[in-house]
Amino acid sequence: MNNHGIQDDRNDQNSGSSLYVPSADAMYRAALTFCLDDADAMMYALLKGAGDAATVWHLLRESHPKNPSSQCAAALGKLDLAFTQGLVRWGRKPQASVMKTFHTALAGWHNRMQDMPSDDPVRIADWFTVDGTQWLIGPDSPYWPGQLEDLALKSDWAPPLCLWGKGDPQALTSCPKPVGIVGSRDVTEYGRYVAHTLAEQAAALGHTVVSGGAMGTDAAAHWGALNAFHGRRSHTVGRTVAVFAGGLNHMGPTRNRSLFERIETQSGALISELCPNTIPEARRFLLRNRIIAALSSTVVVAQARLRSGALNTAGWAYELMREVYAAPGDINQPANAGCNRIISENRAALLCAATDVESICHEAHHPSTEHASHPETTAPQPTLRQVHAEPSSRHARKPGSPSAASPDLRTVTATSADGPKSIHLNALPEPQRVLASLIKECHKRHLIATPDALLKMARQQTPNEISDIGTVLELVGAMELSGIIRRQADEVVFSTIVD
């Protein structure tokens, strides 16, 4: 076992390079992640009902349409039962409309399974870890940050199924209450000073600094945490963690490459919930923000415009009941408008000084090398070479992860299972009525109703109702679970008659 507590093998025919071998549960979770377009509430409920990722994977494989109908029918019945049990355990009701949406999602998972080089995840560890250049952990790992589960417990959104990473995974559990520092990319010198100074002082006190690896505020925060090593003993300085919105072989921007290298070499971590080769898209940055918020105990917005993605992170943190602070700024400068607004709306406390870290953080400490989220885990997990392809008692029995765009299944209204149901626009809640009108307008103009297209049209027609992509995704998710719409690739179409 290497000094990260991760199993590794030595390839005698390869210059002795280390190949990280993730646990069996992590590999199955990676395979399930590959099947998802993004994190998925349906998959979370299914995992809660099935008990482990290996069971889910084998049922998906057995239920694939390419198999004999008798085999498919038996596996589909087990999937339905597991999904229903998972809904109940999650506090949701297994209504007919939800089951219909689950079956639609299931068809998409089956389609994506075919793109994997093998339907047996235990045989393609090197493919999922890019020949051992990335580590892969799941909830069975001693370095899994347990606070991610708050996404399911304190909100109706989802923790990731697993995490890919580079650097030191111990950074994820080295601090019990990390500090998230976020802000605009086009930051001013004032915002850069706030982020850099706050991060440097927090790291000097042993706290982990979390941000998004982007230009501007994120980079200032990461560099500040790294600068805390100057003149100090490394074992006393907090780490920094960068969370990315795509696969780790698509880390960007390229101007920050030296920053990413420094984070790796100075015991920090670069992480993503997405498979290697996943392209970072606009919607994925917003979903990435939920991980920054969940990892953090305190979130500070150093500087933000009114439409900055940093306000999305602050919103996640507020919903997760984290402590949120914002740096006030000149009211005549647009760069400060976002921070000033969330302070005025009491969604963030006023940050009085960038140098007063003690007032917003817990007590100073040395970074912990203990297994914070799983102190009872002492024995190493079995490697994939030691595990059979079929589910066994050795697999971790920890629930999986819900979905990023996961609407509240408790509020889903039942629809007829016999066929399309006619719904009047006036019968829908106001936000859903607005989105339905925008979908109809896209179709009228012969446009593909993608979330980005809907947002563009909303900004033209109803800017006060729908202002950001996060709102669009939330409404799409709620209407999909209600059986009103469905997704075809990235297009949103009606699954019921809306007039």
Side-chain angles (χ1 to χ4, degrees):
M1 190 157 56
N2 65 19
N3 61 348
H4 293 163
I6 298 176
Q7 296 290 332
D8 67 23
D9 288 343
R10 301 286 176 179
N11 188 336
D12 296 334
Q13 300 178 0
N14 264 343
S15 67
S17 62
S18 173
L19 297 177
Y20 295 130
V21 180
S23 72
D25 184 66
M27 266 320 312
Y28 283 111
R29 286 173 175 270
L32 295 177
T33 300
F34 182 86
C35 293
L36 305 178
D37 185 40
D38 286 306
D40 194 311
M42 302 294 167
M43 183 63 78
Y44 179 63
L46 182 57
L47 274 166
K48 287 189 79 71
D52 61 57
T55 298
V56 171
W57 179 259
H58 290 297
L59 287 175
L60 288 178
R61 188 172 65 178
E62 292 168 11
S63 63
H64 197 282
K66 69 180 181 181
N67 293 324
S69 57
S70 58
Q71 180 180 350
C72 284
L76 287 171
K78 293 178 181 178
L79 284 170
D80 281 353
L81 178 60
F83 177 67
T84 301
Q85 291 175 337
L87 286 176
V88 173
R89 291 171 184 172
W90 197 19
R92 276 67 173 166
K93 294 181 179 180
Q95 300 175 0
S97 58
V98 179
M99 296 304 298
K100 182 178 179 181
T101 305
F102 170 64
H103 293 151
T104 301
L106 186 59
W109 302 341
H110 282 147
N111 286 337
R112 294 188 185 101
M113 286 179 72
Q114 300 175 135
D115 295 330
M116 284 180 56
S118 170
D119 63 0
D120 185 354
V122 302
R123 298 182 181 276
I124 52 174
D126 289 348
W127 185 70
F128 268 124
T129 61
V130 194
D131 294 325
T133 60
Q134 299 177 22
W135 40 262
L136 173 64
I137 61 173
D140 64 342
S141 168
Y143 303 115
W144 182 260
Q147 63 268 39
L148 288 176
E149 197 63 25
D150 285 350
L151 285 162
L153 299 176
K154 296 182 179 179
S155 74
D156 289 313
W157 299 78
L161 291 177
C162 55
L163 290 173
W164 280 264
K166 296 170 72 70
D168 189 347
Q170 290 187 97
L172 299 177
T173 54
S174 63
C175 176
K177 296 182 178 180
V179 181
I181 301 176
V182 296
S184 299
R185 288 175 173 80
D186 55 343
V187 67
T188 67
E189 284 303 315
Y190 165 69
R192 186 174 291 108
Y193 163 79
V194 171
H196 189 281
T197 303
L198 197 65
E200 183 173 5
Q201 295 209 358
L205 297 176
H207 308 311
T208 296
V209 174
V210 183
S211 197
M215 295 293 293
T217 305
D218 290 4
H222 291 306
W223 280 118
L226 294 171
N227 285 346
F229 282 89
H230 295 166
R232 297 181 177 90
R233 295 184 178 182
S234 61
H235 73 277
T236 69
V237 179
R239 314 309 189 211
T240 187
V241 175
V243 188
F244 293 90
L248 292 182
N249 50 347
H250 286 289
M251 289 188 300
T254 54
R255 289 178 60 184
N256 280 354
R257 192 159 303 280
S258 61
L259 169 63
F260 304 151
E261 292 172 354
R262 281 281 299 278
I263 291 175
E264 280 194 71
T265 58
Q266 291 188 209
S267 301
L270 312 169
I271 66 170
S272 174
E273 67 172 325
L274 298 168
C275 296
N277 297 318
T278 303
I279 303 297
E281 300 175 354
R283 61 191 170 91
R284 292 189 171 124
F285 282 92
L286 294 173
L287 297 177
R288 176 276 310 269
N289 292 343
R290 84 192 195 286
I291 297 179
I292 296 176
L295 286 173
S296 307
S297 174
T298 300
V299 171
V300 179
V301 186
Q303 189 176 51
R305 294 176 177 269
L306 285 175
R307 294 188 179 277
S308 170
L311 300 185
N312 176 258
T313 308
W316 283 112
Y318 183 84
E319 184 176 349
L320 292 169
M321 295 184 284
R322 287 357 186 201
E323 293 186 8
V324 183
Y325 292 85
D330 186 340
I331 61 174
N332 295 314
Q333 297 295 323
N336 302 316
C339 284
N340 290 340
R341 171 172 288 185
I342 61 175
I343 292 172
S344 70
E345 294 174 345
N346 294 319
R347 296 180 67 85
L350 187 146
L351 181 69
C352 294
T355 54
D356 189 17
V357 176
E358 290 90 344
S359 66
I360 66 171
C361 294
H362 63 292
E363 293 183 359
H365 64 93
H366 290 177
S368 172
T369 58
E370 297 297 322
H371 302 161
S373 61
H374 294 274
E376 75 284 355
T377 304
T378 54
Q381 295 295 319
T383 69
L384 297 179
R385 292 172 174 80
Q386 298 169 326
V387 138
H388 296 295
E390 296 303 316
S392 79
S393 60
R394 288 178 292 184
H395 296 137
R397 291 283 175 179
K398 186 148 185 164
S401 70
S403 152
S406 45
D408 191 345
L409 294 175
R410 292 168 294 191
T411 61
V412 172
T413 55
T415 59
S416 171
D418 298 327
K421 179 180 179 181
S422 178
I423 295 179
H424 293 285
L425 278 177
N426 291 337
L428 297 174
E430 176 63 23
Q432 294 186 15
R433 183 161 68 246
V434 172
L435 189 68
S437 298
L438 295 173
I439 295 171
K440 294 182 74 172
E441 186 64 23
C442 279
H443 294 167
K444 182 179 178 181
R445 299 185 187 185
H446 303 289
L447 299 174
I448 298 176
T450 65
D452 288 335
L454 292 171
L455 176 60
K456 183 177 180 179
M457 188 167 293
R459 287 175 173 171
Q460 295 172 353
Q461 298 187 7
T462 58
N464 294 327
E465 298 289 341
I466 299 176
S467 60
D468 57 65
I469 192 68
T471 303
V472 173
L473 292 173
E474 183 176 357
L475 289 172
V476 167
M479 294 172 73
E480 183 179 12
L481 283 172
S482 298
I484 300 170
I485 62 175
R486 67 179 188 275
R487 299 284 287 272
Q488 291 181 347
D490 201 31
E491 182 180 6
V492 177
V493 298
F494 289 115
S495 54
T496 56
I497 301 171
V498 178
D499 50 26

